[in-house]
Amino acid sequence: MILGLVAFVIGLVAAAAIGQILGVRRRNASQRAKLLSRLGVEQAETKRIVGFFHPYCNAGGGGERVLWAAISAIQRKEPDVVSVVYSGDTDTTKEKIIEKVKARFDIELSPKTLDFVFLESRYLVEDSTWPRFTLLGQSIGSMYLVWEAMTYLIPDLFIDTMGYAFTFPVVSLVGNISVGAYVHYPTISTTMLSRVKSRTAGVTNSAGISSSAVLSTGKLLYYRLFMYYYAYSLRQARFIMVNSSWTKNHIDSILAHTDPLLDAIHLLPPLVLLEILSRKRSECPKTAQIAYPSCDTRQMAVFPLEGRERVILSIAQFRPEKDHAAQLRSFHKLLEAHPEHRGQGPSSAKLVLVGGSRNVGDATRVEELRLLAKGLDIQDQTEFVVNASYPQVLNWLSRASIGLSTMVDEHFGINVVEFMAAGVIPVAHASGGPLLDIIVPLDGQPTGYHATSPETFAEAFHTVFNLSPEADIALRQRARTWAVQKFSAEEFEKAWDESGWRRWL
Protein backbone atom coordinates (compact mmCIF):
# COMPACT_ATOMS: atom_id res chain seq x y z
CA MET A 1 0.00 0.00 0.00
CA ILE A 2 2.68 2.52 1.07
CA LEU A 3 5.02 1.48 -1.75
CA GLY A 4 2.17 1.89 -4.20
CA LEU A 5 1.45 5.39 -2.90
CA VAL A 6 5.12 6.34 -3.14
CA ALA A 7 5.27 5.04 -6.71
CA PHE A 8 2.13 7.01 -7.56
CA VAL A 9 3.58 10.25 -6.17
CA ILE A 10 6.87 9.70 -8.00
CA GLY A 11 4.90 9.08 -11.19
CA LEU A 12 3.00 12.36 -10.78
CA VAL A 13 6.20 14.30 -10.14
CA ALA A 14 7.90 12.68 -13.13
CA ALA A 15 4.93 13.43 -15.39
CA ALA A 16 4.89 17.07 -14.29
CA ALA A 17 8.65 17.37 -14.85
CA ILE A 18 8.40 15.84 -18.31
CA GLY A 19 5.61 18.26 -19.16
CA GLN A 20 7.72 21.22 -18.07
CA ILE A 21 10.72 19.98 -20.06
CA LEU A 22 8.69 19.47 -23.22
CA GLY A 23 7.22 22.95 -22.81
CA VAL A 24 10.71 24.47 -22.56
CA ARG A 25 11.82 22.60 -25.68
CA ARG A 26 8.76 23.73 -27.66
CA ARG A 27 9.35 27.38 -26.78
CA ASN A 28 13.03 27.25 -27.68
CA ALA A 29 12.55 27.67 -31.44
CA SER A 30 10.91 31.06 -30.95
CA GLN A 31 13.46 32.08 -28.28
CA ARG A 32 16.27 31.20 -30.65
CA ALA A 33 14.67 33.15 -33.50
CA LYS A 34 14.30 36.23 -31.27
CA LEU A 35 17.97 36.08 -30.25
CA LEU A 36 19.27 35.81 -33.82
CA SER A 37 16.89 38.53 -35.00
CA ARG A 38 18.06 40.85 -32.21
CA LEU A 39 21.64 40.34 -33.36
CA GLY A 40 20.68 41.02 -36.97
CA VAL A 41 21.92 37.59 -38.06
CA GLU A 42 21.31 36.62 -41.67
CA GLN A 43 20.92 32.99 -42.78
CA ALA A 44 19.95 31.99 -39.25
CA GLU A 45 19.61 28.34 -40.26
CA THR A 46 23.40 28.10 -40.69
CA LYS A 47 24.19 29.47 -37.26
CA ARG A 48 25.06 27.43 -34.19
CA ILE A 49 24.80 28.70 -30.62
CA VAL A 50 27.32 27.93 -27.89
CA GLY A 51 26.06 28.74 -24.41
CA PHE A 52 28.64 29.65 -21.76
CA PHE A 53 27.47 29.27 -18.16
CA HIS A 54 29.35 31.90 -16.15
CA PRO A 55 27.09 33.58 -13.56
CA TYR A 56 29.85 36.01 -12.49
CA CYS A 57 31.10 36.93 -15.96
CA ASN A 58 31.60 40.59 -14.99
CA ALA A 59 33.85 39.87 -11.99
CA GLY A 60 37.10 40.66 -13.79
CA GLY A 61 39.20 37.76 -12.47
CA GLY A 62 41.39 35.12 -14.09
CA GLY A 63 38.42 32.82 -14.67
CA GLU A 64 36.70 35.57 -16.60
CA ARG A 65 39.79 36.09 -18.76
CA VAL A 66 39.51 32.45 -19.84
CA LEU A 67 35.85 32.96 -20.78
CA TRP A 68 36.49 36.07 -22.87
CA ALA A 69 39.64 34.67 -24.48
CA ALA A 70 37.67 31.60 -25.60
CA ILE A 71 34.79 33.67 -26.98
CA SER A 72 37.18 36.06 -28.74
CA ALA A 73 38.92 33.12 -30.41
CA ILE A 74 35.59 31.63 -31.50
CA GLN A 75 34.50 34.96 -32.97
CA ARG A 76 37.68 35.20 -35.03
CA LYS A 77 37.73 31.59 -36.21
CA GLU A 78 34.07 30.52 -36.35
CA PRO A 79 31.87 33.18 -38.03
CA ASP A 80 28.83 30.88 -37.98
CA VAL A 81 28.94 30.44 -34.19
CA VAL A 82 27.01 32.75 -31.87
CA SER A 83 28.22 32.86 -28.26
CA VAL A 84 25.67 33.38 -25.49
CA VAL A 85 26.76 33.95 -21.89
CA TYR A 86 24.39 33.01 -19.06
CA SER A 87 25.16 35.66 -16.45
CA GLY A 88 23.74 36.76 -13.13
CA ASP A 89 25.06 40.31 -13.56
CA THR A 90 21.62 41.90 -13.85
CA ASP A 91 22.95 45.32 -12.85
CA THR A 92 24.78 45.87 -16.13
CA THR A 93 24.34 45.62 -19.90
CA LYS A 94 25.93 43.85 -22.82
CA GLU A 95 27.63 47.05 -23.95
CA LYS A 96 29.09 47.77 -20.51
CA ILE A 97 30.41 44.23 -20.14
CA ILE A 98 32.16 44.44 -23.51
CA GLU A 99 33.68 47.77 -22.50
CA LYS A 100 34.90 46.34 -19.19
CA VAL A 101 36.46 43.33 -20.90
CA LYS A 102 38.41 45.69 -23.15
CA ALA A 103 39.45 47.91 -20.22
CA ARG A 104 40.36 45.04 -17.84
CA PHE A 105 41.86 42.46 -20.21
CA ASP A 106 42.42 44.30 -23.49
CA ILE A 107 40.31 41.63 -25.23
CA GLU A 108 38.17 42.73 -28.19
CA LEU A 109 34.67 41.28 -28.42
CA SER A 110 32.25 41.76 -31.30
CA PRO A 111 28.64 42.49 -30.29
CA LYS A 112 27.44 40.92 -33.56
CA THR A 113 27.96 37.31 -32.46
CA LEU A 114 27.73 37.73 -28.69
CA ASP A 115 24.70 38.05 -26.47
CA PHE A 116 23.74 37.57 -22.84
CA VAL A 117 20.96 35.86 -20.91
CA PHE A 118 20.66 37.62 -17.56
CA LEU A 119 19.48 35.35 -14.75
CA GLU A 120 17.57 36.50 -11.67
CA SER A 121 18.38 33.57 -9.37
CA ARG A 122 22.14 33.97 -8.95
CA TYR A 123 21.67 34.49 -5.23
CA LEU A 124 21.08 30.72 -5.04
CA VAL A 125 24.78 30.08 -5.71
CA GLU A 126 26.03 32.76 -3.30
CA ASP A 127 27.83 31.26 -0.30
CA SER A 128 26.02 33.77 1.92
CA THR A 129 22.72 32.10 0.98
CA TRP A 130 23.93 28.81 2.45
CA PRO A 131 25.67 29.41 5.80
CA ARG A 132 25.38 25.66 6.48
CA PHE A 133 25.92 22.80 4.00
CA THR A 134 27.33 25.40 1.61
CA LEU A 135 28.56 22.97 -1.06
CA LEU A 136 25.22 21.19 -1.21
CA GLY A 137 23.21 24.39 -1.18
CA GLN A 138 25.21 26.06 -3.92
CA SER A 139 25.10 22.92 -6.06
CA ILE A 140 21.32 22.60 -5.77
CA GLY A 141 21.08 26.34 -6.37
CA SER A 142 23.13 25.98 -9.58
CA MET A 143 20.69 23.32 -10.80
CA TYR A 144 17.79 25.73 -10.43
CA LEU A 145 19.85 28.56 -11.95
CA VAL A 146 20.63 26.51 -15.07
CA TRP A 147 16.96 25.50 -15.30
CA GLU A 148 16.17 29.22 -15.44
CA ALA A 149 18.85 29.57 -18.14
CA MET A 150 17.34 26.79 -20.25
CA THR A 151 13.86 28.34 -20.04
CA TYR A 152 15.31 31.41 -21.80
CA LEU A 153 17.41 29.58 -24.38
CA ILE A 154 18.68 26.07 -25.09
CA PRO A 155 21.95 26.37 -27.07
CA ASP A 156 23.42 23.80 -29.44
CA LEU A 157 26.33 23.22 -27.05
CA PHE A 158 26.58 24.09 -23.35
CA ILE A 159 29.98 24.90 -21.82
CA ASP A 160 30.37 25.59 -18.11
CA THR A 161 33.38 27.83 -17.50
CA MET A 162 32.90 28.42 -13.77
CA GLY A 163 32.77 24.99 -12.17
CA TYR A 164 29.09 24.22 -11.67
CA ALA A 165 29.17 20.52 -12.57
CA PHE A 166 25.76 19.83 -11.03
CA THR A 167 24.24 21.75 -13.94
CA PHE A 168 25.36 19.05 -16.40
CA PRO A 169 22.60 16.47 -15.72
CA VAL A 170 19.94 19.21 -15.87
CA VAL A 171 21.18 20.54 -19.21
CA SER A 172 21.54 17.04 -20.67
CA LEU A 173 18.01 16.14 -19.63
CA VAL A 174 16.24 19.41 -20.43
CA GLY A 175 18.10 20.37 -23.57
CA ASN A 176 19.15 16.96 -24.87
CA ILE A 177 22.43 18.60 -25.91
CA SER A 178 26.10 17.95 -25.28
CA VAL A 179 27.91 19.50 -22.35
CA GLY A 180 31.53 20.58 -22.03
CA ALA A 181 33.50 22.19 -19.23
CA TYR A 182 36.51 24.28 -18.41
CA VAL A 183 37.29 23.53 -14.75
CA HIS A 184 39.38 25.94 -12.69
CA TYR A 185 39.26 23.82 -9.53
CA PRO A 186 37.21 20.89 -8.24
CA THR A 187 34.17 21.65 -6.10
CA ILE A 188 35.28 18.85 -3.79
CA SER A 189 38.53 16.91 -3.80
CA THR A 190 40.20 13.94 -2.21
CA THR A 191 42.29 16.44 -0.24
CA MET A 192 39.14 17.86 1.34
CA LEU A 193 37.98 14.35 2.20
CA SER A 194 41.31 13.47 3.78
CA ARG A 195 41.29 16.65 5.89
CA VAL A 196 37.91 15.73 7.33
CA LYS A 197 38.95 12.12 7.86
CA SER A 198 42.14 13.13 9.66
CA ARG A 199 40.23 15.89 11.52
CA THR A 200 42.58 18.61 10.30
CA ALA A 201 41.31 22.17 10.61
CA GLY A 202 41.44 24.40 7.53
CA VAL A 203 39.50 26.67 5.20
CA THR A 204 37.06 23.88 4.31
CA ASN A 205 37.03 22.22 7.74
CA SER A 206 36.44 24.49 10.72
CA ALA A 207 38.06 23.90 14.10
CA GLY A 208 34.61 23.31 15.61
CA ILE A 209 34.06 20.30 13.36
CA SER A 210 37.61 18.95 13.35
CA SER A 211 37.65 18.87 17.16
CA SER A 212 34.49 16.73 17.34
CA ALA A 213 34.47 13.02 16.46
CA VAL A 214 30.70 13.02 15.95
CA LEU A 215 30.65 16.08 13.71
CA SER A 216 33.65 14.83 11.75
CA THR A 217 31.93 11.49 11.13
CA GLY A 218 28.79 13.27 9.95
CA LYS A 219 30.74 15.57 7.66
CA LEU A 220 32.69 12.66 6.23
CA LEU A 221 29.40 10.95 5.28
CA TYR A 222 28.17 14.22 3.76
CA TYR A 223 31.36 14.59 1.72
CA ARG A 224 31.21 10.96 0.63
CA LEU A 225 27.71 11.45 -0.80
CA PHE A 226 28.66 14.77 -2.34
CA MET A 227 31.75 13.30 -4.01
CA TYR A 228 29.65 10.49 -5.49
CA TYR A 229 27.18 12.85 -7.13
CA TYR A 230 29.87 15.31 -8.16
CA ALA A 231 31.67 12.52 -10.01
CA TYR A 232 28.36 11.44 -11.56
CA SER A 233 27.74 15.00 -12.77
CA LEU A 234 31.23 15.44 -14.22
CA ARG A 235 30.79 12.24 -16.19
CA GLN A 236 27.88 13.83 -18.06
CA ALA A 237 30.36 16.09 -19.88
CA ARG A 238 31.64 15.10 -23.30
CA PHE A 239 34.91 17.03 -22.95
CA ILE A 240 36.65 18.58 -19.96
CA MET A 241 39.45 21.13 -20.00
CA VAL A 242 41.35 22.16 -16.87
CA ASN A 243 43.75 24.97 -16.10
CA SER A 244 46.69 23.17 -14.47
CA SER A 245 48.37 19.90 -13.54
CA TRP A 246 47.02 20.26 -9.99
CA THR A 247 43.41 20.52 -11.23
CA LYS A 248 43.91 17.74 -13.76
CA ASN A 249 45.18 15.34 -11.11
CA HIS A 250 42.11 15.99 -8.97
CA ILE A 251 39.58 15.87 -11.82
CA ASP A 252 41.08 12.66 -13.23
CA SER A 253 40.78 10.98 -9.84
CA ILE A 254 37.19 12.18 -9.48
CA LEU A 255 36.24 10.90 -12.95
CA ALA A 256 37.55 7.48 -11.89
CA HIS A 257 35.90 7.65 -8.45
CA THR A 258 33.69 4.74 -7.45
CA ASP A 259 31.77 3.84 -4.32
CA PRO A 260 30.57 0.21 -4.44
CA LEU A 261 27.96 0.68 -1.70
CA LEU A 262 26.40 3.74 -3.31
CA ASP A 263 26.62 2.08 -6.73
CA ALA A 264 24.58 -0.84 -5.38
CA ILE A 265 22.01 1.47 -3.78
CA HIS A 266 21.54 3.21 -7.13
CA LEU A 267 20.37 -0.05 -8.70
CA LEU A 268 17.19 0.27 -6.64
CA PRO A 269 14.19 2.44 -7.56
CA PRO A 270 13.79 5.37 -7.75
CA LEU A 271 17.56 6.07 -7.85
CA VAL A 272 17.97 3.68 -10.79
CA LEU A 273 16.38 6.45 -12.86
CA LEU A 274 19.68 8.32 -12.67
CA GLU A 275 21.39 5.53 -14.59
CA ILE A 276 18.55 5.30 -17.09
CA LEU A 277 18.48 9.03 -17.75
CA SER A 278 22.26 9.54 -17.87
CA ARG A 279 24.12 9.41 -21.16
CA LYS A 280 26.37 6.54 -22.17
CA ARG A 281 29.40 6.30 -19.94
CA SER A 282 31.48 5.35 -22.99
CA GLU A 283 31.17 8.97 -24.13
CA CYS A 284 32.55 10.29 -20.87
CA PRO A 285 36.17 11.47 -20.99
CA LYS A 286 38.47 9.35 -18.87
CA THR A 287 40.89 12.22 -18.31
CA ALA A 288 40.86 15.99 -18.50
CA GLN A 289 42.97 18.02 -20.91
CA ILE A 290 45.14 20.89 -19.70
CA ALA A 291 44.52 24.24 -21.39
CA TYR A 292 46.63 26.76 -19.53
CA PRO A 293 44.74 30.07 -19.16
CA SER A 294 45.48 32.78 -21.64
CA CYS A 295 47.74 35.57 -20.44
CA ASP A 296 48.49 38.84 -22.21
CA THR A 297 52.18 38.04 -22.29
CA ARG A 298 52.99 40.08 -25.40
CA GLN A 299 51.93 43.43 -23.96
CA MET A 300 53.59 42.79 -20.60
CA ALA A 301 56.79 41.42 -22.08
CA VAL A 302 57.87 44.86 -23.30
CA PHE A 303 58.19 46.32 -19.79
CA PRO A 304 61.80 47.16 -18.85
CA LEU A 305 63.50 44.82 -16.41
CA GLU A 306 65.71 47.51 -14.93
CA GLY A 307 64.80 50.32 -12.56
CA ARG A 308 62.16 48.46 -10.57
CA GLU A 309 60.74 50.04 -7.42
CA ARG A 310 60.78 48.23 -4.08
CA VAL A 311 57.10 47.37 -4.48
CA ILE A 312 55.64 44.01 -3.45
CA LEU A 313 52.57 43.63 -5.67
CA SER A 314 49.52 41.43 -5.13
CA ILE A 315 46.91 41.04 -7.89
CA ALA A 316 43.95 38.97 -6.75
CA GLN A 317 40.22 39.32 -6.16
CA PHE A 318 39.42 40.03 -2.53
CA ARG A 319 38.07 36.54 -1.90
CA PRO A 320 38.70 34.55 1.32
CA GLU A 321 40.82 31.83 -0.29
CA LYS A 322 43.30 34.37 -1.68
CA ASP A 323 44.39 34.95 1.94
CA HIS A 324 45.31 38.63 1.73
CA ALA A 325 45.72 38.61 5.51
CA ALA A 326 48.77 36.36 5.06
CA GLN A 327 50.22 38.95 2.70
CA LEU A 328 49.89 41.67 5.30
CA ARG A 329 51.45 39.46 7.96
CA SER A 330 54.32 38.50 5.63
CA PHE A 331 55.03 42.17 4.93
CA HIS A 332 54.90 42.88 8.65
CA LYS A 333 57.46 40.12 9.24
CA LEU A 334 59.73 41.66 6.61
CA LEU A 335 59.66 45.06 8.31
CA GLU A 336 60.06 43.45 11.73
CA ALA A 337 63.04 41.26 10.76
CA HIS A 338 64.66 43.82 8.45
CA PRO A 339 63.83 47.33 9.71
CA GLU A 340 65.85 48.92 6.90
CA HIS A 341 62.77 48.29 4.71
CA ARG A 342 60.59 50.42 6.99
CA GLY A 343 59.98 54.15 6.54
CA GLN A 344 60.89 56.29 3.53
CA GLY A 345 64.60 55.55 3.05
CA PRO A 346 66.30 54.16 -0.08
CA SER A 347 65.73 50.57 1.14
CA SER A 348 62.09 51.10 2.16
CA ALA A 349 59.49 48.74 0.69
CA LYS A 350 55.81 49.07 -0.12
CA LEU A 351 53.01 46.49 -0.33
CA VAL A 352 50.33 47.15 -2.98
CA LEU A 353 47.18 45.01 -3.06
CA VAL A 354 45.33 45.28 -6.38
CA GLY A 355 42.09 43.34 -6.60
CA GLY A 356 38.48 43.16 -7.66
CA SER A 357 35.62 43.56 -5.21
CA ARG A 358 32.56 41.65 -6.48
CA ASN A 359 30.00 42.28 -3.78
CA VAL A 360 29.29 43.48 -0.25
CA GLY A 361 31.20 40.55 1.21
CA ASP A 362 34.35 41.48 -0.69
CA ALA A 363 33.99 45.15 0.23
CA THR A 364 33.68 44.23 3.90
CA ARG A 365 36.77 42.05 3.58
CA VAL A 366 38.77 44.99 2.21
CA GLU A 367 37.81 47.12 5.19
CA GLU A 368 38.82 44.32 7.56
CA LEU A 369 42.18 44.09 5.79
CA ARG A 370 42.69 47.84 6.18
CA LEU A 371 42.07 47.44 9.90
CA LEU A 372 44.54 44.54 10.05
CA ALA A 373 47.19 46.65 8.30
CA LYS A 374 46.63 49.38 10.87
CA GLY A 375 46.85 46.87 13.71
CA LEU A 376 50.16 45.59 12.33
CA ASP A 377 51.40 49.18 11.99
CA ILE A 378 52.12 48.80 8.28
CA GLN A 379 49.31 51.02 6.97
CA ASP A 380 51.70 53.80 5.90
CA GLN A 381 53.51 51.39 3.57
CA THR A 382 50.45 49.50 2.35
CA GLU A 383 48.15 50.57 -0.48
CA PHE A 384 44.82 49.06 -1.57
CA VAL A 385 43.77 49.49 -5.22
CA VAL A 386 40.21 48.18 -5.57
CA ASN A 387 38.62 47.40 -8.97
CA ALA A 388 41.56 48.79 -10.90
CA SER A 389 41.33 49.35 -14.64
CA TYR A 390 43.57 47.35 -16.93
CA PRO A 391 45.92 50.32 -17.55
CA GLN A 392 46.31 50.70 -13.76
CA VAL A 393 47.19 47.02 -13.42
CA LEU A 394 49.75 47.31 -16.21
CA ASN A 395 51.25 50.38 -14.57
CA TRP A 396 51.86 48.52 -11.32
CA LEU A 397 53.24 45.50 -13.18
CA SER A 398 55.75 47.73 -14.98
CA ARG A 399 57.03 49.17 -11.68
CA ALA A 400 56.97 46.38 -9.09
CA SER A 401 59.93 44.23 -8.06
CA ILE A 402 58.08 41.33 -6.44
CA GLY A 403 54.78 39.62 -7.27
CA LEU A 404 53.04 38.02 -4.28
CA SER A 405 50.51 35.15 -4.14
CA THR A 406 49.66 33.49 -0.81
CA MET A 407 46.73 31.27 -1.73
CA VAL A 408 47.17 27.65 -0.63
CA ASP A 409 46.50 25.14 -3.42
CA GLU A 410 45.93 27.87 -5.99
CA HIS A 411 44.47 25.88 -8.87
CA PHE A 412 46.51 27.76 -11.46
CA GLY A 413 47.62 31.30 -10.69
CA ILE A 414 47.25 33.53 -13.73
CA ASN A 415 48.37 36.46 -11.60
CA VAL A 416 51.71 34.70 -11.12
CA VAL A 417 52.05 34.28 -14.89
CA GLU A 418 51.34 38.00 -15.31
CA PHE A 419 54.06 38.80 -12.78
CA MET A 420 56.60 36.74 -14.69
CA ALA A 421 55.65 38.05 -18.13
CA ALA A 422 55.94 41.59 -16.82
CA GLY A 423 59.40 40.93 -15.40
CA VAL A 424 58.20 40.89 -11.78
CA ILE A 425 59.89 38.21 -9.65
CA PRO A 426 57.16 35.92 -8.23
CA VAL A 427 56.98 34.72 -4.64
CA ALA A 428 54.09 32.28 -4.25
CA HIS A 429 52.84 29.60 -1.89
CA ALA A 430 54.52 26.25 -2.45
CA SER A 431 51.42 24.41 -3.64
CA GLY A 432 49.03 24.04 -6.58
CA GLY A 433 49.72 25.56 -9.98
CA PRO A 434 52.50 27.96 -8.89
CA LEU A 435 54.48 24.98 -7.59
CA LEU A 436 53.74 22.40 -10.30
CA ASP A 437 53.35 24.44 -13.50
CA ILE A 438 54.44 28.06 -13.22
CA ILE A 439 57.42 28.84 -10.97
CA VAL A 440 59.53 25.97 -12.23
CA PRO A 441 63.20 25.95 -13.27
CA LEU A 442 64.16 27.01 -16.78
CA ASP A 443 67.37 25.37 -18.00
CA GLY A 444 68.03 24.34 -14.42
CA GLN A 445 67.82 27.90 -13.09
CA PRO A 446 65.07 29.34 -10.82
CA THR A 447 62.28 31.56 -12.18
CA GLY A 448 61.01 32.70 -8.78
CA TYR A 449 60.52 31.65 -5.17
CA HIS A 450 58.13 29.54 -3.10
CA ALA A 451 57.23 29.99 0.57
CA THR A 452 54.85 28.52 3.13
CA SER A 453 54.66 30.94 6.08
CA PRO A 454 54.87 34.68 6.81
CA GLU A 455 58.46 34.16 7.92
CA THR A 456 59.55 32.36 4.74
CA PHE A 457 57.68 34.83 2.54
CA ALA A 458 59.46 37.70 4.34
CA GLU A 459 62.85 36.09 3.80
CA ALA A 460 62.08 35.58 0.10
CA PHE A 461 61.24 39.30 -0.19
CA HIS A 462 64.51 40.20 1.50
CA THR A 463 66.44 37.87 -0.80
CA VAL A 464 64.98 39.50 -3.92
CA PHE A 465 65.70 43.00 -2.65
CA ASN A 466 69.34 42.02 -2.08
CA LEU A 467 70.10 40.29 -5.37
CA SER A 468 73.05 41.65 -7.29
CA PRO A 469 72.08 43.69 -10.36
CA GLU A 470 73.26 40.89 -12.65
CA ALA A 471 71.39 38.13 -10.80
CA ASP A 472 68.30 40.32 -10.56
CA ILE A 473 68.06 40.94 -14.31
CA ALA A 474 68.87 37.32 -15.16
CA LEU A 475 66.09 36.04 -12.89
CA ARG A 476 63.53 38.48 -14.31
CA GLN A 477 64.50 37.50 -17.86
CA ARG A 478 64.18 33.76 -17.15
CA ALA A 479 60.74 34.28 -15.59
CA ARG A 480 59.59 36.30 -18.60
CA THR A 481 60.95 33.81 -21.12
CA TRP A 482 59.13 30.93 -19.45
CA ALA A 483 55.82 32.81 -19.16
CA VAL A 484 55.83 33.98 -22.78
CA GLN A 485 56.83 30.52 -24.00
CA LYS A 486 54.30 28.51 -22.00
CA PHE A 487 51.27 30.66 -21.22
CA SER A 488 50.56 32.78 -24.29
CA ALA A 489 47.14 33.41 -25.84
CA GLU A 490 48.21 31.30 -28.83
CA GLU A 491 48.97 28.28 -26.60
CA PHE A 492 45.59 28.64 -24.89
CA GLU A 493 43.68 28.79 -28.19
CA LYS A 494 45.58 25.77 -29.50
CA ALA A 495 44.63 23.72 -26.42
CA TRP A 496 41.03 24.96 -26.56
CA ASP A 497 40.71 23.79 -30.17
CA GLU A 498 42.32 20.43 -29.34
CA SER A 499 39.56 19.76 -26.79
CA GLY A 500 37.34 18.72 -29.70
CA TRP A 501 34.49 21.07 -28.79
CA ARG A 502 33.49 21.45 -32.48
CA ARG A 503 32.72 17.74 -32.66
CA TRP A 504 29.97 18.12 -30.08
CA LEU A 505 28.55 21.29 -31.64
Side-chain angles (χ1 to χ4, degrees):
M1 178 73 175
I2 295 177
L3 289 177
L5 180 61
V6 170
F8 177 72
V9 171
I10 291 175
L12 287 178
V13 172
I18 291 171
Q20 289 286 331
I21 291 170
L22 294 177
V24 169
R25 289 183 183 179
R26 282 194 299 268
R27 293 193 299 273
N28 194 58
S30 62
Q31 302 278 44
R32 182 188 184 99
K34 289 178 183 177
L35 166 71
L36 297 177
S37 175
R38 185 166 64 249
L39 292 175
V41 171
E42 298 178 357
Q43 297 180 317
E45 66 279 359
T46 67
K47 303 299 180 182
R48 293 293 178 267
I49 298 175
V50 177
F52 291 88
F53 192 70
H54 206 108
Y56 294 91
C57 76
N58 207 33
E64 287 67 59
R65 171 179 274 280
V66 168
L67 168 69
W68 304 125
I71 291 177
S72 177
I74 289 173
Q75 288 187 325
R76 283 185 281 105
K77 299 177 181 180
E78 306 289 341
D80 287 330
V81 171
V82 173
S83 299
V84 173
V85 179
Y86 298 101
S87 169
D89 297 295
T90 57
D91 59 345
T92 189
T93 64
K94 169 181 171 177
E95 292 73 23
K96 289 181 179 179
I97 292 175
I98 291 175
E99 289 175 5
K100 183 173 179 178
V101 171
K102 173 62 177 176
R104 174 65 182 88
F105 301 118
D106 197 31
I107 294 176
E108 296 276 0
L109 298 173
S110 170
K112 296 180 180 179
T113 55
L114 171 63
D115 209 1
F116 294 81
V117 172
F118 292 105
L119 308 175
E120 299 290 340
S121 305
R122 190 177 70 179
Y123 67 91
L124 291 175
V125 297
E126 296 273 1
D127 52 5
S128 59
T129 303
W130 310 98
R132 296 289 182 273
F133 298 99
T134 306
L135 290 180
L136 177 62
Q138 289 180 306
S139 298
I140 293 174
S142 72
M143 296 171 77
Y144 182 85
L145 189 62
V146 83
W147 163 259
E148 181 188 350
M150 294 299 99
T151 62
Y152 283 110
L153 179 74
I154 299 175
D156 297 301
L157 173 65
F158 178 91
I159 302 178
D160 167 53
T161 48
M162 251 199 108
Y164 292 107
F166 281 81
T167 63
F168 301 174
V170 177
V171 173
S172 297
L173 179 62
V174 175
N176 192 32
I177 57 175
S178 295
V179 172
Y182 187 99
V183 182
H184 297 275
Y185 57 93
T187 303
I188 189 171
S189 65
T190 53
T191 301
M192 292 167 66
L193 283 171
S194 64
R195 284 174 183 164
V196 176
K197 190 172 184 179
S198 63
R199 296 172 61 182
T200 302
V203 176
T204 59
N205 195 39
S206 69
I209 291 177
S210 62
S211 62
S212 168
V214 174
L215 293 178
S216 292
T217 300
K219 186 168 185 176
L220 187 60
L221 175 60
Y222 165 46
Y223 271 17
R224 180 179 175 184
L225 289 168
F226 191 92
M227 174 68 86
Y228 184 85
Y229 288 111
Y230 181 58
Y232 169 86
S233 298
L234 277 177
R235 286 193 285 263
Q236 306 309 303
R238 306 281 72 86
F239 61 92
I240 298 176
M241 289 174 277
V242 294
N243 61 349
S244 68
S245 299
W246 183 89
T247 306
K248 174 179 169 59
N249 292 339
H250 282 287
I251 294 298
D252 286 354
S253 66
I254 293 167
L255 288 171
H257 177 75
T258 60
D259 191 314
L261 177 59
L262 293 177
D263 282 338
I265 292 174
H266 280 72
L267 296 176
L268 303 174
L271 295 177
V272 71
L273 287 174
L274 287 175
E275 293 300 319
I276 296 173
L277 293 174
S278 64
R279 291 173 178 264
K280 297 177 182 178
R281 289 205 175 198
S282 60
E283 294 182 346
C284 166
K286 301 298 186 292
T287 61
Q289 175 190 333
I290 296 177
Y292 291 120
S294 167
C295 180
D296 183 19
T297 55
R298 288 176 299 181
Q299 188 167 356
M300 297 176 188
V302 300
F303 296 156
L305 301 178
E306 302 87 355
R308 294 296 178 130
E309 300 173 22
R310 289 180 177 267
V311 169
I312 301 170
L313 177 65
S314 165
I315 300 178
Q317 288 181 329
F318 289 102
R319 305 203 311 258
E321 65 271 23
K322 297 301 182 180
D323 202 0
H324 287 85
Q327 298 177 1
L328 297 175
R329 294 190 177 96
S330 299
F331 187 55
H332 169 70
K333 288 293 183 183
L334 172 69
L335 301 185
E336 185 179 62
H338 304 282
E340 67 270 22
H341 298 306
R342 187 182 287 278
Q344 302 299 321
S347 297
S348 65
K350 181 176 183 179
L351 174 65
V352 178
L353 291 82
V354 177
S357 175
R358 304 162 300 169
N359 48 38
V360 175
D362 287 354
T364 301
R365 196 167 296 111
V366 172
E367 292 308 308
E368 291 172 348
L369 290 168
R370 292 184 193 274
L371 290 174
L372 177 59
K374 187 175 182 179
L376 294 171
D377 193 25
I378 59 173
Q379 72 275 17
D380 292 338
Q381 292 175 243
T382 303
E383 182 175 347
F384 291 84
V385 185
V386 181
N387 293 329
S389 67
Y390 190 63
Q392 284 179 294
V393 174
L394 292 178
N395 179 50
W396 282 113
L397 284 168
S398 69
R399 297 161 54 189
S401 287
I402 297 172
L404 174 59
S405 175
T406 47
M407 179 175 171
V408 178
D409 287 338
E410 172 72 84
H411 35 285
F412 178 65
I414 197 167
N415 56 337
V416 180
V417 176
E418 290 176 339
F419 294 146
M420 297 169 74
V424 181
I425 297 175
V427 179
H429 193 275
S431 62
L435 177 67
L436 299 176
D437 296 306
I438 304 176
I439 308 177
V440 298
L442 177 63
D443 298 329
Q445 297 295 313
T447 56
Y449 297 88
H450 299 106
T452 56
S453 65
E455 291 79 9
T456 53
F457 272 103
E459 286 309 306
F461 302 156
H462 185 64
T463 298
V464 173
F465 287 146
N466 285 276
L467 288 172
S468 69
E470 296 78 14
D472 180 89
I473 296 299
L475 178 51
R476 296 183 194 279
Q477 186 61 63
R478 282 195 302 273
R480 171 175 288 173
T481 300
W482 175 244
V484 171
Q485 173 183 312
K486 192 69 176 179
F487 307 111
S488 66
E490 291 78 13
E491 287 296 313
F492 167 75
E493 291 182 15
K494 179 182 176 182
W496 182 276
D497 290 340
E498 289 175 350
S499 71
W501 67 273
R502 290 184 186 84
R503 171 191 172 196
W504 300 104
L505 184 61

